[in-house]
Short mmCIF file of all heavy atoms in Angstrom, two decimals:
data_model
loop_
_atom_site.label_atom_id
_atom_site.label_comp_id
_atom_site.label_asym_id
_atom_site.label_seq_id
_atom_site.Cartn_x
_atom_site.Cartn_y
_atom_site.Cartn_z
N MET A 1 5.99 14.17 14.23
CA MET A 1 6.05 13.81 12.82
C MET A 1 7.48 13.50 12.41
O MET A 1 7.73 12.61 11.64
CB MET A 1 5.45 14.95 11.99
CG MET A 1 5.38 14.65 10.53
SD MET A 1 4.10 13.45 10.23
CE MET A 1 3.87 13.66 8.52
N ALA A 2 8.43 14.26 12.91
CA ALA A 2 9.82 14.05 12.55
C ALA A 2 10.35 12.72 13.07
O ALA A 2 11.16 12.07 12.43
CB ALA A 2 10.69 15.20 13.06
N VAL A 3 9.87 12.31 14.23
CA VAL A 3 10.32 11.03 14.80
C VAL A 3 9.83 9.88 13.93
O VAL A 3 10.57 8.94 13.67
CB VAL A 3 9.81 10.88 16.25
CG1 VAL A 3 10.12 9.51 16.79
CG2 VAL A 3 10.42 11.95 17.13
N ARG A 4 8.61 9.95 13.46
CA ARG A 4 8.08 8.88 12.61
C ARG A 4 8.89 8.77 11.33
O ARG A 4 9.23 7.68 10.88
CB ARG A 4 6.61 9.14 12.29
CG ARG A 4 6.01 8.03 11.50
CD ARG A 4 4.54 8.25 11.29
NE ARG A 4 3.97 7.10 10.62
CZ ARG A 4 2.92 7.16 9.85
NH1 ARG A 4 2.30 8.29 9.68
NH2 ARG A 4 2.46 6.08 9.27
N GLY A 5 9.24 9.90 10.71
CA GLY A 5 10.05 9.88 9.50
C GLY A 5 11.45 9.35 9.76
O GLY A 5 12.03 8.66 8.94
N ALA A 6 11.98 9.67 10.95
CA ALA A 6 13.32 9.20 11.29
C ALA A 6 13.33 7.69 11.50
O ALA A 6 14.34 7.04 11.25
CB ALA A 6 13.81 9.91 12.56
N VAL A 7 12.24 7.12 11.93
CA VAL A 7 12.15 5.67 12.12
C VAL A 7 11.81 4.99 10.80
O VAL A 7 12.27 3.88 10.52
CB VAL A 7 11.09 5.35 13.19
CG1 VAL A 7 10.83 3.87 13.27
CG2 VAL A 7 11.53 5.90 14.54
N LEU A 8 11.04 5.64 9.97
CA LEU A 8 10.58 5.04 8.73
C LEU A 8 11.72 4.81 7.73
O LEU A 8 11.76 3.77 7.06
CB LEU A 8 9.50 5.91 8.10
CG LEU A 8 8.80 5.36 6.87
CD1 LEU A 8 8.07 4.08 7.23
CD2 LEU A 8 7.83 6.37 6.31
N VAL A 9 12.64 5.72 7.65
CA VAL A 9 13.74 5.61 6.67
C VAL A 9 14.58 4.35 6.90
O VAL A 9 14.80 3.58 5.96
CB VAL A 9 14.60 6.89 6.66
CG1 VAL A 9 15.84 6.71 5.82
CG2 VAL A 9 13.77 8.06 6.15
N PRO A 10 15.08 4.08 8.12
CA PRO A 10 15.85 2.85 8.30
C PRO A 10 15.04 1.58 8.05
O PRO A 10 15.59 0.59 7.54
CB PRO A 10 16.29 2.91 9.77
CG PRO A 10 16.17 4.32 10.17
CD PRO A 10 15.08 4.91 9.33
N VAL A 11 13.76 1.59 8.36
CA VAL A 11 12.93 0.42 8.12
C VAL A 11 12.79 0.15 6.62
O VAL A 11 12.90 -1.00 6.16
CB VAL A 11 11.54 0.59 8.78
CG1 VAL A 11 10.58 -0.49 8.34
CG2 VAL A 11 11.68 0.62 10.29
N VAL A 12 12.60 1.20 5.85
CA VAL A 12 12.49 1.06 4.39
C VAL A 12 13.83 0.59 3.80
O VAL A 12 13.86 -0.31 2.95
CB VAL A 12 12.02 2.38 3.75
CG1 VAL A 12 12.15 2.33 2.24
CG2 VAL A 12 10.60 2.69 4.16
N VAL A 13 14.91 1.16 4.26
CA VAL A 13 16.24 0.75 3.77
C VAL A 13 16.50 -0.71 4.13
O VAL A 13 16.99 -1.48 3.28
CB VAL A 13 17.33 1.67 4.34
CG1 VAL A 13 18.71 1.12 4.06
CG2 VAL A 13 17.20 3.07 3.79
N PHE A 14 16.16 -1.11 5.34
CA PHE A 14 16.33 -2.50 5.76
C PHE A 14 15.52 -3.44 4.87
O PHE A 14 16.00 -4.49 4.45
CB PHE A 14 15.93 -2.64 7.22
CG PHE A 14 16.13 -4.01 7.78
CD1 PHE A 14 17.39 -4.52 7.98
CD2 PHE A 14 15.03 -4.80 8.12
CE1 PHE A 14 17.59 -5.79 8.50
CE2 PHE A 14 15.21 -6.07 8.64
CZ PHE A 14 16.49 -6.57 8.84
N GLY A 15 14.29 -3.07 4.58
CA GLY A 15 13.44 -3.89 3.71
C GLY A 15 14.00 -4.00 2.29
O GLY A 15 13.97 -5.06 1.68
N LEU A 16 14.51 -2.89 1.77
CA LEU A 16 15.11 -2.92 0.43
C LEU A 16 16.37 -3.79 0.39
O LEU A 16 16.59 -4.53 -0.58
CB LEU A 16 15.43 -1.50 -0.04
CG LEU A 16 14.22 -0.63 -0.37
CD1 LEU A 16 14.66 0.80 -0.65
CD2 LEU A 16 13.46 -1.20 -1.56
N VAL A 17 17.18 -3.73 1.42
CA VAL A 17 18.38 -4.56 1.49
C VAL A 17 18.00 -6.03 1.56
O VAL A 17 18.58 -6.87 0.84
CB VAL A 17 19.27 -4.14 2.67
CG1 VAL A 17 20.37 -5.16 2.92
CG2 VAL A 17 19.87 -2.77 2.44
N LEU A 18 17.04 -6.37 2.41
CA LEU A 18 16.61 -7.76 2.49
C LEU A 18 16.01 -8.25 1.17
O LEU A 18 16.24 -9.41 0.77
CB LEU A 18 15.59 -7.94 3.62
CG LEU A 18 16.15 -7.97 5.02
CD1 LEU A 18 15.03 -8.15 6.03
CD2 LEU A 18 17.18 -9.04 5.19
N GLY A 19 15.26 -7.41 0.50
CA GLY A 19 14.71 -7.77 -0.80
C GLY A 19 15.79 -8.00 -1.83
O GLY A 19 15.72 -8.93 -2.64
N ALA A 20 16.82 -7.16 -1.82
CA ALA A 20 17.93 -7.32 -2.75
C ALA A 20 18.70 -8.62 -2.49
O ALA A 20 19.08 -9.32 -3.43
CB ALA A 20 18.87 -6.12 -2.66
N VAL A 21 18.89 -8.95 -1.22
CA VAL A 21 19.58 -10.20 -0.88
C VAL A 21 18.76 -11.40 -1.34
O VAL A 21 19.29 -12.38 -1.87
CB VAL A 21 19.87 -10.26 0.64
CG1 VAL A 21 20.33 -11.65 1.07
CG2 VAL A 21 20.91 -9.23 1.02
N TRP A 22 17.44 -11.33 -1.16
CA TRP A 22 16.59 -12.43 -1.59
C TRP A 22 16.64 -12.61 -3.11
O TRP A 22 16.77 -13.71 -3.61
CB TRP A 22 15.15 -12.20 -1.13
CG TRP A 22 14.25 -13.36 -1.49
CD1 TRP A 22 14.14 -14.53 -0.84
CD2 TRP A 22 13.38 -13.43 -2.63
NE1 TRP A 22 13.24 -15.33 -1.49
CE2 TRP A 22 12.75 -14.69 -2.58
CE3 TRP A 22 13.06 -12.55 -3.66
CZ2 TRP A 22 11.84 -15.09 -3.54
CZ3 TRP A 22 12.14 -12.96 -4.60
CH2 TRP A 22 11.54 -14.21 -4.54
N TRP A 23 16.54 -11.49 -3.85
CA TRP A 23 16.61 -11.58 -5.31
C TRP A 23 17.96 -12.10 -5.76
O TRP A 23 18.05 -12.86 -6.73
CB TRP A 23 16.31 -10.23 -5.95
CG TRP A 23 14.83 -10.04 -6.14
CD1 TRP A 23 14.02 -9.21 -5.44
CD2 TRP A 23 14.00 -10.73 -7.07
NE1 TRP A 23 12.73 -9.34 -5.88
CE2 TRP A 23 12.68 -10.27 -6.89
CE3 TRP A 23 14.24 -11.71 -8.03
CZ2 TRP A 23 11.62 -10.74 -7.65
CZ3 TRP A 23 13.16 -12.18 -8.78
CH2 TRP A 23 11.88 -11.70 -8.58
N TRP A 24 19.04 -11.69 -5.09
CA TRP A 24 20.37 -12.20 -5.43
C TRP A 24 20.40 -13.72 -5.29
O TRP A 24 20.89 -14.42 -6.17
CB TRP A 24 21.42 -11.55 -4.52
CG TRP A 24 22.75 -12.22 -4.57
CD1 TRP A 24 23.71 -12.11 -5.55
CD2 TRP A 24 23.26 -13.16 -3.63
NE1 TRP A 24 24.77 -12.89 -5.24
CE2 TRP A 24 24.53 -13.55 -4.07
CE3 TRP A 24 22.78 -13.68 -2.43
CZ2 TRP A 24 25.31 -14.45 -3.38
CZ3 TRP A 24 23.55 -14.59 -1.74
CH2 TRP A 24 24.81 -14.96 -2.21
N ALA A 25 19.85 -14.24 -4.20
CA ALA A 25 19.85 -15.68 -3.97
C ALA A 25 19.00 -16.41 -5.01
O ALA A 25 19.41 -17.44 -5.55
CB ALA A 25 19.34 -15.98 -2.56
N VAL A 26 17.83 -15.88 -5.31
CA VAL A 26 16.95 -16.54 -6.28
C VAL A 26 17.56 -16.53 -7.67
O VAL A 26 17.57 -17.56 -8.37
CB VAL A 26 15.55 -15.86 -6.29
CG1 VAL A 26 14.71 -16.32 -7.45
CG2 VAL A 26 14.84 -16.11 -4.98
N LEU A 27 18.11 -15.40 -8.09
CA LEU A 27 18.73 -15.34 -9.42
C LEU A 27 19.97 -16.21 -9.50
O LEU A 27 20.23 -16.84 -10.53
CB LEU A 27 19.07 -13.89 -9.77
CG LEU A 27 17.85 -13.00 -10.03
CD1 LEU A 27 18.29 -11.56 -10.25
CD2 LEU A 27 17.06 -13.51 -11.23
N ARG A 28 20.73 -16.28 -8.43
CA ARG A 28 21.91 -17.16 -8.43
C ARG A 28 21.49 -18.61 -8.54
O ARG A 28 22.12 -19.40 -9.26
CB ARG A 28 22.71 -16.91 -7.16
CG ARG A 28 24.05 -17.61 -7.14
CD ARG A 28 24.91 -17.04 -6.04
NE ARG A 28 25.99 -17.93 -5.74
CZ ARG A 28 27.23 -17.77 -6.20
NH1 ARG A 28 27.51 -16.74 -6.95
NH2 ARG A 28 28.17 -18.63 -5.89
N LEU A 29 20.43 -18.99 -7.86
CA LEU A 29 19.93 -20.38 -7.97
C LEU A 29 19.39 -20.66 -9.37
O LEU A 29 19.55 -21.77 -9.90
CB LEU A 29 18.83 -20.61 -6.95
CG LEU A 29 19.28 -20.91 -5.52
CD1 LEU A 29 18.08 -20.87 -4.58
CD2 LEU A 29 19.97 -22.25 -5.44
N ALA A 30 18.75 -19.67 -9.97
CA ALA A 30 18.13 -19.89 -11.29
C ALA A 30 19.15 -19.85 -12.42
O ALA A 30 19.05 -20.63 -13.37
CB ALA A 30 17.06 -18.85 -11.53
N LEU A 31 20.12 -18.94 -12.34
CA LEU A 31 21.04 -18.73 -13.46
C LEU A 31 22.29 -19.59 -13.39
O LEU A 31 22.77 -20.06 -14.43
CB LEU A 31 21.41 -17.25 -13.56
CG LEU A 31 20.22 -16.30 -13.79
CD1 LEU A 31 20.70 -14.86 -13.77
CD2 LEU A 31 19.53 -16.63 -15.10
N ILE A 32 22.87 -19.73 -12.22
CA ILE A 32 24.09 -20.55 -12.09
C ILE A 32 23.96 -21.50 -10.90
O ILE A 32 24.61 -21.33 -9.87
CB ILE A 32 25.36 -19.66 -11.96
CG1 ILE A 32 25.14 -18.53 -10.96
CG2 ILE A 32 25.81 -19.14 -13.29
CD1 ILE A 32 26.39 -17.73 -10.68
N PRO A 33 23.10 -22.49 -11.02
CA PRO A 33 22.85 -23.38 -9.88
C PRO A 33 24.07 -24.20 -9.47
O PRO A 33 24.17 -24.63 -8.31
CB PRO A 33 21.72 -24.28 -10.37
CG PRO A 33 21.75 -24.20 -11.84
CD PRO A 33 22.31 -22.86 -12.18
N GLU A 34 25.02 -24.42 -10.36
CA GLU A 34 26.20 -25.21 -9.99
C GLU A 34 27.12 -24.47 -9.02
O GLU A 34 27.89 -25.08 -8.31
CB GLU A 34 27.00 -25.63 -11.25
CG GLU A 34 27.56 -24.48 -12.07
CD GLU A 34 26.59 -23.94 -13.10
OE1 GLU A 34 25.45 -24.42 -13.19
OE2 GLU A 34 27.00 -23.02 -13.82
N HIS A 35 26.99 -23.14 -8.96
CA HIS A 35 27.80 -22.35 -8.02
C HIS A 35 27.00 -21.91 -6.79
O HIS A 35 27.57 -21.33 -5.88
CB HIS A 35 28.37 -21.11 -8.71
CG HIS A 35 29.37 -21.44 -9.76
ND1 HIS A 35 30.60 -21.98 -9.48
CD2 HIS A 35 29.32 -21.33 -11.11
CE1 HIS A 35 31.27 -22.17 -10.59
NE2 HIS A 35 30.50 -21.79 -11.61
N ALA A 36 25.71 -22.16 -6.79
CA ALA A 36 24.88 -21.78 -5.64
C ALA A 36 25.05 -22.80 -4.54
O ALA A 36 25.24 -23.98 -4.78
CB ALA A 36 23.43 -21.69 -6.07
N GLY A 37 24.99 -22.33 -3.33
CA GLY A 37 25.18 -23.22 -2.19
C GLY A 37 23.97 -23.27 -1.27
O GLY A 37 22.85 -22.88 -1.64
N VAL A 38 24.25 -23.73 -0.09
CA VAL A 38 23.20 -23.90 0.91
C VAL A 38 22.65 -22.55 1.35
O VAL A 38 21.45 -22.40 1.60
CB VAL A 38 23.74 -24.69 2.12
CG1 VAL A 38 22.70 -24.80 3.22
CG2 VAL A 38 24.21 -26.06 1.69
N VAL A 39 23.51 -21.54 1.45
CA VAL A 39 23.07 -20.23 1.91
C VAL A 39 22.05 -19.63 0.94
O VAL A 39 21.01 -19.12 1.36
CB VAL A 39 24.28 -19.28 2.07
CG1 VAL A 39 23.83 -17.87 2.39
CG2 VAL A 39 25.21 -19.80 3.15
N GLU A 40 22.33 -19.72 -0.35
CA GLU A 40 21.39 -19.18 -1.33
C GLU A 40 20.05 -19.91 -1.26
O GLU A 40 18.98 -19.31 -1.36
CB GLU A 40 21.96 -19.28 -2.74
CG GLU A 40 23.07 -18.29 -3.02
CD GLU A 40 24.44 -18.84 -2.67
OE1 GLU A 40 24.53 -19.93 -2.04
OE2 GLU A 40 25.44 -18.19 -3.01
N GLY A 41 20.12 -21.21 -1.11
CA GLY A 41 18.88 -21.99 -1.01
C GLY A 41 18.08 -21.65 0.23
O GLY A 41 16.85 -21.52 0.18
N ALA A 42 18.77 -21.46 1.35
CA ALA A 42 18.09 -21.11 2.60
C ALA A 42 17.47 -19.72 2.51
O ALA A 42 16.34 -19.51 2.98
CB ALA A 42 19.06 -21.19 3.77
N VAL A 43 18.18 -18.77 1.93
CA VAL A 43 17.65 -17.40 1.80
C VAL A 43 16.44 -17.40 0.88
O VAL A 43 15.42 -16.77 1.18
CB VAL A 43 18.74 -16.44 1.29
CG1 VAL A 43 18.15 -15.10 0.89
CG2 VAL A 43 19.82 -16.25 2.33
N ALA A 44 16.53 -18.10 -0.23
CA ALA A 44 15.40 -18.13 -1.18
C ALA A 44 14.19 -18.83 -0.56
O ALA A 44 13.06 -18.34 -0.67
CB ALA A 44 15.83 -18.83 -2.46
N ALA A 45 14.42 -19.96 0.09
CA ALA A 45 13.30 -20.68 0.70
C ALA A 45 12.70 -19.90 1.86
O ALA A 45 11.48 -19.87 2.04
CB ALA A 45 13.77 -22.05 1.19
N GLY A 46 13.54 -19.23 2.64
CA GLY A 46 13.04 -18.43 3.76
C GLY A 46 12.20 -17.26 3.29
O GLY A 46 11.15 -16.97 3.87
N GLY A 47 12.64 -16.58 2.25
CA GLY A 47 11.86 -15.46 1.72
C GLY A 47 10.55 -15.92 1.13
O GLY A 47 9.51 -15.27 1.30
N TRP A 48 10.56 -17.07 0.46
CA TRP A 48 9.32 -17.61 -0.09
C TRP A 48 8.38 -18.02 1.05
O TRP A 48 7.18 -17.79 0.99
CB TRP A 48 9.62 -18.81 -0.97
CG TRP A 48 8.39 -19.43 -1.54
CD1 TRP A 48 7.67 -18.97 -2.60
CD2 TRP A 48 7.72 -20.60 -1.06
NE1 TRP A 48 6.58 -19.80 -2.81
CE2 TRP A 48 6.60 -20.80 -1.89
CE3 TRP A 48 7.97 -21.49 -0.04
CZ2 TRP A 48 5.72 -21.86 -1.70
CZ3 TRP A 48 7.09 -22.54 0.15
CH2 TRP A 48 5.98 -22.71 -0.68
N GLY A 49 8.94 -18.61 2.10
CA GLY A 49 8.12 -19.01 3.24
C GLY A 49 7.48 -17.82 3.92
O GLY A 49 6.34 -17.89 4.37
N LEU A 50 8.20 -16.70 4.00
CA LEU A 50 7.62 -15.50 4.60
C LEU A 50 6.46 -14.97 3.78
O LEU A 50 5.54 -14.36 4.32
CB LEU A 50 8.69 -14.41 4.73
CG LEU A 50 9.70 -14.61 5.85
CD1 LEU A 50 10.77 -13.52 5.78
CD2 LEU A 50 9.01 -14.59 7.20
N SER A 51 6.49 -15.21 2.48
CA SER A 51 5.40 -14.70 1.65
C SER A 51 4.09 -15.46 1.91
O SER A 51 3.03 -14.99 1.52
CB SER A 51 5.76 -14.83 0.17
OG SER A 51 5.75 -16.18 -0.24
N LEU A 52 4.18 -16.59 2.57
CA LEU A 52 2.98 -17.37 2.87
C LEU A 52 2.29 -16.93 4.15
O LEU A 52 1.20 -17.38 4.46
CB LEU A 52 3.33 -18.85 2.98
CG LEU A 52 3.91 -19.47 1.71
CD1 LEU A 52 4.29 -20.92 1.99
CD2 LEU A 52 2.94 -19.38 0.56
N LEU A 53 2.93 -16.04 4.93
CA LEU A 53 2.32 -15.58 6.17
C LEU A 53 1.08 -14.73 5.87
O LEU A 53 1.08 -13.93 4.94
CB LEU A 53 3.31 -14.73 6.96
CG LEU A 53 4.47 -15.48 7.60
CD1 LEU A 53 5.42 -14.47 8.24
CD2 LEU A 53 3.99 -16.47 8.62
N PRO A 54 0.05 -14.88 6.67
CA PRO A 54 -1.17 -14.08 6.44
C PRO A 54 -1.02 -12.67 7.02
O PRO A 54 -1.54 -12.38 8.09
CB PRO A 54 -2.25 -14.88 7.16
CG PRO A 54 -1.50 -15.58 8.25
CD PRO A 54 -0.13 -15.88 7.70
N VAL A 55 -0.32 -11.82 6.33
CA VAL A 55 -0.09 -10.47 6.84
C VAL A 55 -1.35 -9.62 6.80
O VAL A 55 -1.40 -8.55 7.40
CB VAL A 55 1.04 -9.75 6.07
CG1 VAL A 55 2.36 -10.42 6.34
CG2 VAL A 55 0.76 -9.70 4.60
N HIS A 56 -2.36 -10.06 6.10
CA HIS A 56 -3.61 -9.31 6.03
C HIS A 56 -4.49 -9.56 7.26
O HIS A 56 -5.46 -8.87 7.46
CB HIS A 56 -4.39 -9.69 4.76
CG HIS A 56 -4.81 -11.13 4.75
ND1 HIS A 56 -3.95 -12.13 4.35
CD2 HIS A 56 -5.95 -11.74 5.11
CE1 HIS A 56 -4.57 -13.30 4.46
NE2 HIS A 56 -5.77 -13.09 4.91
N ALA A 57 -4.16 -10.55 8.06
CA ALA A 57 -4.95 -10.86 9.24
C ALA A 57 -4.69 -9.81 10.33
O ALA A 57 -3.56 -9.45 10.58
CB ALA A 57 -4.61 -12.25 9.77
N THR A 58 -5.75 -9.35 10.94
CA THR A 58 -5.63 -8.35 12.00
C THR A 58 -6.41 -8.81 13.21
O THR A 58 -7.23 -9.71 13.15
CB THR A 58 -6.17 -6.98 11.54
OG1 THR A 58 -7.54 -7.12 11.19
CG2 THR A 58 -5.40 -6.45 10.35
N ALA A 59 -6.15 -8.15 14.31
CA ALA A 59 -6.87 -8.46 15.54
C ALA A 59 -8.33 -8.02 15.39
O ALA A 59 -8.65 -7.07 14.67
CB ALA A 59 -6.23 -7.74 16.71
N ALA A 60 -9.20 -8.69 16.07
CA ALA A 60 -10.63 -8.37 16.01
C ALA A 60 -10.88 -7.02 16.66
O ALA A 60 -10.25 -6.67 17.64
CB ALA A 60 -11.44 -9.46 16.70
N ARG A 61 -11.81 -6.28 16.10
CA ARG A 61 -12.19 -4.99 16.67
C ARG A 61 -13.03 -5.20 17.91
O ARG A 61 -13.73 -6.20 18.05
CB ARG A 61 -13.01 -4.18 15.67
CG ARG A 61 -12.21 -3.59 14.59
CD ARG A 61 -13.15 -2.77 13.77
NE ARG A 61 -12.42 -1.86 12.92
CZ ARG A 61 -12.99 -1.06 12.05
NH1 ARG A 61 -14.29 -1.06 11.92
NH2 ARG A 61 -12.27 -0.26 11.31
N ARG A 62 -12.98 -4.23 18.77
CA ARG A 62 -13.87 -4.28 19.94
C ARG A 62 -15.30 -4.00 19.48
O ARG A 62 -15.53 -3.26 18.55
CB ARG A 62 -13.44 -3.24 20.95
CG ARG A 62 -12.12 -3.58 21.59
CD ARG A 62 -11.72 -2.50 22.54
NE ARG A 62 -12.81 -2.20 23.45
CZ ARG A 62 -12.67 -1.88 24.71
NH1 ARG A 62 -11.46 -1.79 25.20
NH2 ARG A 62 -13.70 -1.62 25.47
N ALA A 63 -16.22 -4.62 20.14
CA ALA A 63 -17.63 -4.44 19.79
C ALA A 63 -18.06 -3.01 20.10
O ALA A 63 -17.67 -2.45 21.11
CB ALA A 63 -18.49 -5.43 20.55
N THR A 64 -18.87 -2.46 19.24
CA THR A 64 -19.39 -1.11 19.47
C THR A 64 -20.48 -1.15 20.53
O THR A 64 -21.02 -2.21 20.87
CB THR A 64 -19.94 -0.53 18.17
OG1 THR A 64 -21.03 -1.33 17.75
CG2 THR A 64 -18.88 -0.45 17.10
N THR A 65 -20.83 -0.01 21.03
CA THR A 65 -21.87 0.10 22.06
C THR A 65 -23.20 -0.42 21.55
O THR A 65 -23.92 -1.14 22.25
CB THR A 65 -22.02 1.57 22.50
OG1 THR A 65 -20.73 2.05 22.88
CG2 THR A 65 -22.96 1.68 23.67
N ARG A 66 -23.54 -0.10 20.30
CA ARG A 66 -24.82 -0.54 19.73
C ARG A 66 -24.84 -2.07 19.62
O ARG A 66 -25.85 -2.71 19.93
CB ARG A 66 -25.02 0.09 18.36
CG ARG A 66 -26.31 -0.35 17.71
CD ARG A 66 -26.54 0.39 16.44
NE ARG A 66 -27.33 1.57 16.79
CZ ARG A 66 -27.61 2.54 15.96
NH1 ARG A 66 -27.15 2.52 14.74
NH2 ARG A 66 -28.35 3.55 16.32
N ALA A 67 -23.75 -2.68 19.21
CA ALA A 67 -23.70 -4.14 19.10
C ALA A 67 -23.80 -4.78 20.47
O ALA A 67 -24.43 -5.82 20.63
CB ALA A 67 -22.41 -4.56 18.41
N LEU A 68 -23.17 -4.17 21.46
CA LEU A 68 -23.29 -4.71 22.82
C LEU A 68 -24.73 -4.64 23.32
O LEU A 68 -25.22 -5.57 23.96
CB LEU A 68 -22.37 -3.94 23.77
CG LEU A 68 -20.88 -4.24 23.61
CD1 LEU A 68 -20.06 -3.32 24.49
CD2 LEU A 68 -20.59 -5.69 23.92
N ARG A 69 -25.45 -3.56 23.01
CA ARG A 69 -26.85 -3.42 23.43
C ARG A 69 -27.70 -4.50 22.77
O ARG A 69 -28.57 -5.09 23.39
CB ARG A 69 -27.38 -2.04 23.06
CG ARG A 69 -27.02 -0.99 24.05
CD ARG A 69 -27.80 0.29 23.78
NE ARG A 69 -26.92 1.41 24.04
CZ ARG A 69 -26.76 2.46 23.27
NH1 ARG A 69 -27.45 2.57 22.16
NH2 ARG A 69 -25.94 3.42 23.58
N ARG A 70 -27.48 -4.73 21.46
CA ARG A 70 -28.24 -5.74 20.75
C ARG A 70 -27.99 -7.13 21.34
O ARG A 70 -28.89 -7.94 21.48
CB ARG A 70 -27.88 -5.74 19.28
CG ARG A 70 -28.80 -4.90 18.47
CD ARG A 70 -28.56 -5.08 17.00
NE ARG A 70 -27.87 -3.87 16.55
CZ ARG A 70 -26.86 -3.82 15.73
NH1 ARG A 70 -26.39 -4.91 15.20
NH2 ARG A 70 -26.31 -2.69 15.39
N ARG A 71 -26.74 -7.40 21.68
CA ARG A 71 -26.41 -8.71 22.22
C ARG A 71 -27.08 -8.91 23.58
O ARG A 71 -27.58 -9.98 23.88
CB ARG A 71 -24.88 -8.80 22.36
CG ARG A 71 -24.43 -10.23 22.62
CD ARG A 71 -22.93 -10.35 22.71
NE ARG A 71 -22.28 -9.77 21.56
CZ ARG A 71 -21.06 -9.26 21.57
NH1 ARG A 71 -20.36 -9.27 22.69
NH2 ARG A 71 -20.53 -8.75 20.49
N ARG A 72 -27.11 -7.87 24.39
CA ARG A 72 -27.72 -7.97 25.71
C ARG A 72 -29.24 -8.11 25.62
O ARG A 72 -29.87 -8.76 26.45
CB ARG A 72 -27.38 -6.74 26.55
CG ARG A 72 -25.97 -6.74 27.04
CD ARG A 72 -25.74 -5.58 27.99
NE ARG A 72 -24.33 -5.31 28.09
CZ ARG A 72 -23.78 -4.12 28.02
NH1 ARG A 72 -24.54 -3.05 27.87
NH2 ARG A 72 -22.49 -3.95 28.12
N SER A 73 -29.84 -7.48 24.61
CA SER A 73 -31.30 -7.51 24.52
C SER A 73 -31.82 -8.72 23.75
O SER A 73 -32.99 -8.79 23.47
CB SER A 73 -31.79 -6.22 23.83
OG SER A 73 -31.38 -6.22 22.48
N GLY A 74 -30.97 -9.63 23.40
CA GLY A 74 -31.41 -10.84 22.72
C GLY A 74 -31.41 -10.72 21.20
O GLY A 74 -32.01 -11.52 20.52
N GLY A 75 -30.75 -9.74 20.65
CA GLY A 75 -30.63 -9.62 19.22
C GLY A 75 -31.64 -8.73 18.55
O GLY A 75 -31.56 -8.44 17.38
N ILE A 76 -32.67 -8.30 19.27
CA ILE A 76 -33.69 -7.42 18.67
C ILE A 76 -33.37 -6.00 19.08
O ILE A 76 -33.28 -5.67 20.27
CB ILE A 76 -35.10 -7.82 19.16
CG1 ILE A 76 -35.38 -9.24 18.76
CG2 ILE A 76 -36.13 -6.86 18.60
CD1 ILE A 76 -36.65 -9.81 19.34
N SER A 77 -33.19 -5.15 18.10
CA SER A 77 -32.84 -3.77 18.40
C SER A 77 -34.09 -2.98 18.77
O SER A 77 -35.18 -3.21 18.23
CB SER A 77 -32.11 -3.11 17.23
OG SER A 77 -32.92 -3.13 16.10
N ASP A 78 -33.91 -2.03 19.64
CA ASP A 78 -35.01 -1.18 20.09
C ASP A 78 -35.27 -0.10 19.05
O ASP A 78 -34.33 0.58 18.63
CB ASP A 78 -34.62 -0.55 21.44
CG ASP A 78 -35.79 0.17 22.08
OD1 ASP A 78 -36.93 -0.16 21.75
OD2 ASP A 78 -35.51 1.03 22.92
N PRO A 79 -36.51 0.10 18.59
CA PRO A 79 -36.76 1.09 17.53
C PRO A 79 -36.57 2.52 17.99
O PRO A 79 -36.43 3.42 17.18
CB PRO A 79 -38.21 0.85 17.14
CG PRO A 79 -38.82 0.10 18.25
CD PRO A 79 -37.72 -0.62 18.94
N SER A 80 -36.54 2.77 19.29
CA SER A 80 -36.42 4.16 19.75
C SER A 80 -34.98 4.62 19.84
O SER A 80 -34.05 3.99 19.70
CB SER A 80 -37.06 4.32 21.12
OG SER A 80 -36.50 3.42 22.04
#
């Protein structure tokens, strides 16, 4: 349990830092675009592009034993 917490803290801090950098770039582009450069544009566009990734997609589950039996028997389940 302690190892998981020790790994979790740096990951959360890293995510917060990246989020702060992205917000800095977006606000700089929105509020003072004449002073914003290529770096701010790239950071803002990159963060927006990452939001389009399907993070909700997961690998397919393995078929259960009952589903495998149904598939082998032609789709009709045995009542017993």
Side-chain angles (χ1 to χ4, degrees):
M1 183 73 162
V3 173
R4 184 175 185 208
V7 172
L8 186 63
V9 171
V11 170
V12 170
V13 170
F14 183 68
L16 289 173
V17 168
L18 283 180
V21 169
W22 183 80
W23 274 108
W24 167 78
V26 169
L27 290 175
R28 188 165 162 99
L29 280 170
L31 299 176
I32 46 173
E34 62 273 2
H35 293 292
V38 176
V39 173
E40 288 90 350
V43 169
W48 179 78
L50 284 175
S51 71
L52 299 177
L53 289 175
V55 293
H56 63 278
T58 60
R61 284 183 164 177
R62 291 178 50 144
T64 62
T65 307
R66 179 174 269 172
L68 287 174
R69 277 191 218 134
R70 266 189 254 138
R71 193 178 308 152
R72 286 187 200 133
S73 68
I76 300 172
S77 60
D78 189 23
S80 56

